Amino acid sequence: MTDALPKSLLNGAIVPVVDARISPLDRGFLFGDGIYEVVPVYAGKPLRPDAHFDRLQDGLTALEIANPYSRTRWAALLRELIAANGGGDMGVYLEVSRGAGKGRDFLPESDMQPTVFGFCFRLAPPRPELLARGISAATLEDIRWQRCDIKSVALVGPVMLKIEAKRLGADEAILVRGERLAEGSSSAVFVVKDGRIATPPASHERLPSITRGVVGDVLDALGLPLDVREVGRDELLTADEIWIASSTREALPVTVLDGKAVGQGRPGSIWRRVFEEFQALKQREAG
Ligand code: PDD
């Protein structure tokens, strides 16, 4: 689904992905000591690149890794990487790790040179049958760490949760912390009840999702109010509609949760309006 396109970015140069090499002593490999971003690109143009660069900077600041590039340089490299892969609709993965040390000390050496790697993958529009049917999700207890606001490359928690969701026959894990909704294992979550739309606020328990912001703007454009507040597990289980949102999946309706129908068991009417306005926003901003 997300096979890498041929050209990658390695420390400022465009190189074939099959030739990109980094040290096995890289701390991204040894410790998951790095930050990443996934930027959606439509018709060769990134959607809200500054929001992604801001979040990348926030993550680097939290990890005390110096950003190797200025904003202008990042934007130029992103353009180069997209062009090298022929433009069109794609996702761009960008990673900055702390770099390779002389060995494996937990405490980073003082003069480290960050490693920058980027690659692209095709972003196909959601398949019509997926839009007609929706996706399934399973609620799982959030086993990740206490700083989920940092887009860290240490993703073994979500990997375990995705495997468990698949075992349960679900496409996505919706994570709860006790009685509270956290977020999806790789998505933001919205719930709708009696026409009111809610999504949890930013906190250390969840990633500040860029697509969540896009959906917020879509709702504004539609004149639909959004309640940003904590959402209970019970609200999730009794919602009329649930949507997940991410840079690679836009906003998708969850129609089955824990094996039971969400609302009517079909993509909801509010989601459909959001989907259509989302397409219009893409056209306006990036298409
Ligand atoms: N993941 N929450 C988590 C835990 C995520 O991993 C993601 C996205 C989101 C949505 O964030 P955004 O709207 O900025 O994509 C929320 C990306 C797509 C990934 O890891 O592939």
Side-chain angles (χ1 to χ4, degrees):
M1 173 193 128
T2 51
D3 290 0
L5 294 175
K7 294 293 169 42
S8 67
L9 168 72
L10 186 63
N11 299 325
I14 302 293
V15 296
V17 70
V18 291
D19 294 334
R21 298 279 178 273
I22 64 165
S23 164
L25 294 180
D26 195 282
R27 293 178 62 94
F29 181 63
L30 293 180
F31 293 106
D33 188 0
I35 294 295
Y36 76 105
E37 271 303 322
V38 177
V39 186
V41 172
Y42 299 106
K45 208 170 151 212
L47 183 67
R48 305 204 168 172
D50 283 325
H52 287 274
F53 292 140
D54 284 346
R55 187 170 64 184
L56 182 72
Q57 181 60 61
D58 290 345
L60 292 173
T61 302
L63 266 56
E64 301 184 41
I65 295 175
N67 194 332
Y69 305 133
S70 67
R71 179 66 57 101
T72 319
R73 178 93 172 114
W74 270 116
L77 289 170
L78 182 59
R79 275 197 303 275
E80 253 188 80
L81 182 58
I82 294 167
N85 284 295
D89 291 359
M90 59 174 77
V92 180
Y93 174 92
L94 297 172
E95 174 170 342
V96 181
S97 82
R98 200 181 300 273
K102 298 190 185 73
R104 184 182 169 275
D105 282 331
F106 278 71
L107 194 61
E109 292 158 30
S110 53
D111 53 347
M112 303 214 60
Q113 192 57 46
T115 302
V116 177
F117 175 64
F119 76 94
C120 305
F121 52 92
R122 279 282 156 235
L123 259 195
R127 295 191 309 280
E129 65 269 23
L130 197 70
L131 298 180
R133 198 186 60 223
I135 66 161
S136 62
T139 53
L140 292 176
E141 185 62 30
D142 195 347
I143 57 164
R144 302 169 305 161
W145 67 332
Q146 314 272 7
R147 290 302 307 275
C148 294
D149 55 317
I150 299 175
K151 203 162 171 63
S152 149
V153 295
L155 289 174
V156 72
V159 168
M160 290 169 70
L161 290 159
K162 287 271 187 197
I163 292 172
E164 181 60 16
K166 180 158 190 241
R167 195 169 11 252
L168 296 168
D171 303 308
E172 174 64 307
I174 294 186
L175 308 179
V176 291
R177 296 206 179 203
E179 290 307 307
R180 201 172 54 245
L181 166 63
E183 60 176 340
S185 63
S186 60
S187 55
V189 177
F190 293 77
V191 295
V192 183
K193 184 70 179 176
D194 299 330
R196 289 207 69 91
I197 309 158
T199 193
S203 86
H204 282 185
E205 294 181 350
R206 42 189 83 97
L207 188 76
S209 156
I210 312 292
T211 320
R212 175 176 169 278
V214 176
V215 171
D217 292 349
V218 162
L219 292 172
D220 270 352
L222 291 170
L224 295 170
L226 172 64
D227 296 337
V228 178
R229 58 164 176 83
E230 294 296 344
V231 172
R233 185 170 181 275
D234 53 332
E235 292 182 79
L236 195 60
L237 300 179
T238 55
D240 298 329
E241 297 187 26
I242 300 174
W243 320 326
I244 60 152
S246 82
S247 293
T248 49
R249 288 171 295 178
E250 304 181 1
L252 286 180
V254 176
T255 50
V256 177
L257 183 67
D258 294 338
K260 298 189 200 72
V262 175
Q264 305 296 311
R266 295 189 299 273
S269 56
I270 302 185
W271 170 78
R272 193 151 302 280
R273 292 175 67 193
V274 166
F275 175 78
E276 272 153 27
E277 183 59 31
F278 199 117
Q279 305 312 308
L281 180 146
K282 270 162 52 181
Q283 280 294 324
R284 278 198 306 275
E285 289 194 21

